[in-house]
Amino acid sequence: MPESKMHVVIVGGSLAGLMHGIAVKRRGHDITILEQHLFSTREGQAAGIVTMEHSQKFLDHHDLLKDQPYAVNCSSVQILDKNLKVKLEFQRPMLMSSWNVLYYRLRANFDGLASSYCTQTPAEPSLHGQAVYDQGKRVNNLYPDKQKVQIEVEDLVDRLISTISADHVIVADGSASQMRHLLQPQLKHSYAGYVAWRGTIMESSVSDETRKTFQNKTTLHTTSGGYIALYTIPGENGSLEPGKRLLNYVWYTNLAADSAEFQQAMTDTAGRQHHHTLPIGKMRSQVWENQRKVAHEVLPQPFAELVDRTTQPFISAISDIDVSQAVFFGGKLLFVGDALVPFRPHVACSTNQAALNALLVEQRLAGKITLASWERQVLDYAKATRLRSVTWGCWYQVGYLSFFASKVRHLATLCGQSLRNWYIYLMG
């Protein structure tokens, strides 16, 4: 990416797309984000997000709303047994946010969208590029054309198809990326054999005993063939007031792909079967009622209470996909975030990967790294973190032998990357 003024199109307007839009816009380039969703208001996306080191660095550098806190500070991690005794506790402070909070914060920084989460939007310096967030647009095709990339775009309201020309394209259309399928059709999702049930409950909606059990800590409990993890995230409109915050949990359970339970869990209220995530509001009542019963059978009371009080659950089938390359069209197109490769959610690194990719794009624009170095770094992080997420899954969901085999692959990958990087460094 040269530093002369460019028009950059970003496919996908979620967190990864917005981070890249902000980073590139701040370098003085014009940005168009193409997002399939029809409206700026995004409800029901209160899933928890751990803001790790790259996410924090990105926000420290690019967020112009620094006086508005965006996360709950969880002090430590505790693992509880079935009698709620602490089996293990260690200090690991983490900043817990949510998709809603970060989406509206990034929108305020990208194109000045005002919302109940960010009522005051920052003033943009005149040297920044123009920002357009174009909703209701689906990219059907893209291809190189001389020094440009041509993008075939469908308007999802009037169904008209047009072509946009861009100097560069950044693909950030998520874990089920259609652009990945278009350009890398050999990469296929493989189901890992288990699902994640998710939900959020306002703190004030649960008993005092349950609130005391979690005590603003990241809390885990293991079961036969799975585990549940819980942490506190901001509430409605980003509220950090105790009682108005949300208790967010992820409950992993094994479900065979060919089982009736899996087919039923992934089929929505309209009878449509989903392959990756069954969205909020689409779960059939009987499915969730059955899961509530399971919760009371296998989970300690505080966790079972959370499941029992959840009114808007959703479920994701955990899957893996390999990663091969991040750069296409001679450097004119980059894959980033979950579109590059999604991780199993155990490691909570999806947003962290997006932030790292955006920070490295910024370094590339500034001429601090080469395109080859950008791709090497994003692929190193993607491959190592994907294997680490698989290793976590094997430990909790499969067994020791699978865990050790996966851990060996993870360590071998890290060693290989370190040796190669040392060689590159020594060769200058």
Side-chain angles (χ1 to χ4, degrees):
M1 285 182 170
E3 265 297 76
S4 56
K5 193 176 182 68
M6 299 182 296
H7 176 218
V8 178
V9 170
I10 299 176
V11 182
S14 189
L15 304 189
L18 286 167
M19 285 180 172
H20 284 80
I22 292 168
V24 177
K25 182 188 76 163
R26 299 273 165 83
R27 298 292 306 181
H29 304 292
D30 294 339
I31 307 296
T32 300
I33 289 181
L34 301 174
E35 166 58 40
Q36 291 192 70
H37 200 277
L38 295 176
F39 307 104
S40 289
T41 303
R42 306 287 287 273
E43 298 299 337
Q45 299 286 339
I49 289 176
V50 184
T51 52
M52 295 185 175
E53 72 279 12
H54 300 305
S55 301
Q56 292 176 36
K57 183 178 180 181
F58 180 90
L59 291 170
D60 288 344
H61 186 53
H62 285 296
D63 183 19
L64 301 179
L65 300 169
K66 291 182 172 61
D67 59 331
Q68 301 180 27
Y70 61 87
V72 175
N73 194 341
C74 289
S75 59
S76 61
V77 177
Q78 61 177 356
I79 301 176
L80 305 181
D81 67 14
K82 63 180 181 180
N83 297 315
L84 300 181
K85 291 185 178 180
V86 178
K87 295 169 60 177
L88 177 66
E89 183 172 1
F90 53 93
Q91 295 299 310
R92 190 186 176 189
M94 289 185 283
L95 293 177
M96 304 301 193
S97 193
S98 72
W99 190 95
N100 271 352
V101 168
L102 293 183
Y103 167 76
Y104 286 111
R105 195 179 197 91
L106 293 173
R107 281 297 302 271
N109 279 279
F110 176 68
D111 64 340
L113 177 71
S115 67
S116 56
Y117 287 81
C118 296
T119 55
Q120 295 183 344
T121 57
E124 287 284 347
S126 59
L127 293 177
H128 291 180
Q130 297 297 310
V132 175
Y133 193 92
D134 199 357
Q135 296 150 190
K137 301 298 189 297
R138 179 170 62 204
V139 175
N140 291 334
N141 195 14
L142 39 74
Y143 53 89
D145 180 23
K146 298 180 181 178
Q147 298 302 312
K148 302 283 186 177
V149 179
Q150 303 300 327
I151 307 152
E152 183 183 288
V153 181
E154 180 180 357
D155 189 308
L156 297 180
V157 176
D158 58 25
R159 296 299 174 181
L160 294 178
I161 295 177
S162 60
T163 300
I164 298 176
S165 180
D167 295 300
H168 286 270
V169 173
I170 296 175
V171 176
D173 58 341
S175 59
S177 171
Q178 290 302 306
M179 297 302 98
R180 188 201 308 124
H181 179 71
L182 176 68
L183 297 177
Q184 304 178 80
Q186 76 279 9
L187 301 180
K188 307 292 184 183
H189 281 270
S190 59
Y191 176 54
Y194 60 99
V195 299
W197 307 86
R198 301 170 181 262
T200 57
I201 309 94
M202 189 178 293
E203 280 181 313
S204 60
S205 298
V206 301
S207 64
D208 291 340
E209 182 180 352
T210 292
R211 285 197 297 275
K212 291 177 183 177
T213 298
F214 302 128
Q215 306 178 62
N216 206 38
K217 299 177 181 179
T218 302
T219 305
L220 285 75
H221 172 74
T222 59
T223 64
S224 176
Y227 74 100
I228 187 169
L230 174 138
Y231 50 90
T232 307
I233 63 174
E236 186 176 1
N237 300 327
S239 176
L240 299 179
E241 182 182 340
K244 294 184 179 180
R245 302 176 302 184
L246 296 174
L247 298 173
N248 175 86
Y249 67 85
V250 186
W251 179 18
Y252 299 97
T253 62
N254 291 336
L255 283 181
D258 57 356
S259 68
E261 292 82 1
F262 178 76
Q263 304 301 322
Q264 292 167 5
M266 298 303 295
T267 301
D268 66 21
T269 51
R272 176 191 170 197
Q273 186 169 9
H274 295 254
H275 299 289
H276 303 292
T277 296
L278 191 149
I280 288 176
K282 298 292 185 179
M283 188 174 294
R284 293 181 295 167
S285 58
Q286 188 57 52
V287 169
W288 189 238
E289 184 58 36
N290 291 339
Q291 200 60 26
R292 281 185 171 126
K293 293 177 181 177
V294 173
H296 283 282
E297 293 172 359
V298 303
L299 297 177
Q301 177 55 34
F303 291 101
E305 181 184 352
L306 297 179
V307 175
D308 199 45
R309 292 180 182 273
T310 301
T311 59
Q312 293 288 312
F314 64 107
I315 183 174
S316 298
I318 307 303
S319 63
D320 298 309
I321 192 168
D322 208 351
V323 56
S324 59
Q325 67 184 96
V327 176
F328 289 78
F329 303 166
K332 293 288 184 182
L333 183 146
L334 309 178
F335 275 85
V336 300
D338 284 347
L340 174 64
V341 62
F343 309 133
R344 298 191 191 184
H346 312 287
V347 293
C349 285
S350 176
T351 306
N352 209 42
Q353 173 177 232
L356 172 63
N357 296 168
L359 291 168
L360 290 173
V361 162
E362 189 176 20
Q363 290 188 36
R364 171 68 186 128
L365 287 171
K368 296 180 180 179
I369 59 174
T370 64
L371 180 63
S373 177
W374 180 88
E375 184 173 37
R376 183 173 66 252
Q377 291 183 67
V378 300
L379 289 179
D380 278 359
Y381 182 87
K383 291 176 180 179
T385 307
R386 188 186 76 81
L387 287 173
R388 181 161 64 93
S389 73
V390 171
T391 300
W392 274 54
C394 290
W395 173 261
Y396 285 107
Q397 306 297 142
V398 184
Y400 297 137
L401 291 178
S402 180
F403 163 77
F404 285 119
S406 181
K407 190 63 179 177
V408 168
R409 289 193 295 272
H410 177 223
L411 293 175
T413 297
L414 290 175
C415 289
Q417 291 176 357
S418 296
L419 290 173
R420 184 209 57 219
N421 291 338
W422 269 107
Y423 177 79
I424 293 172
Y425 174 76
L426 292 174
M427 297 302 289

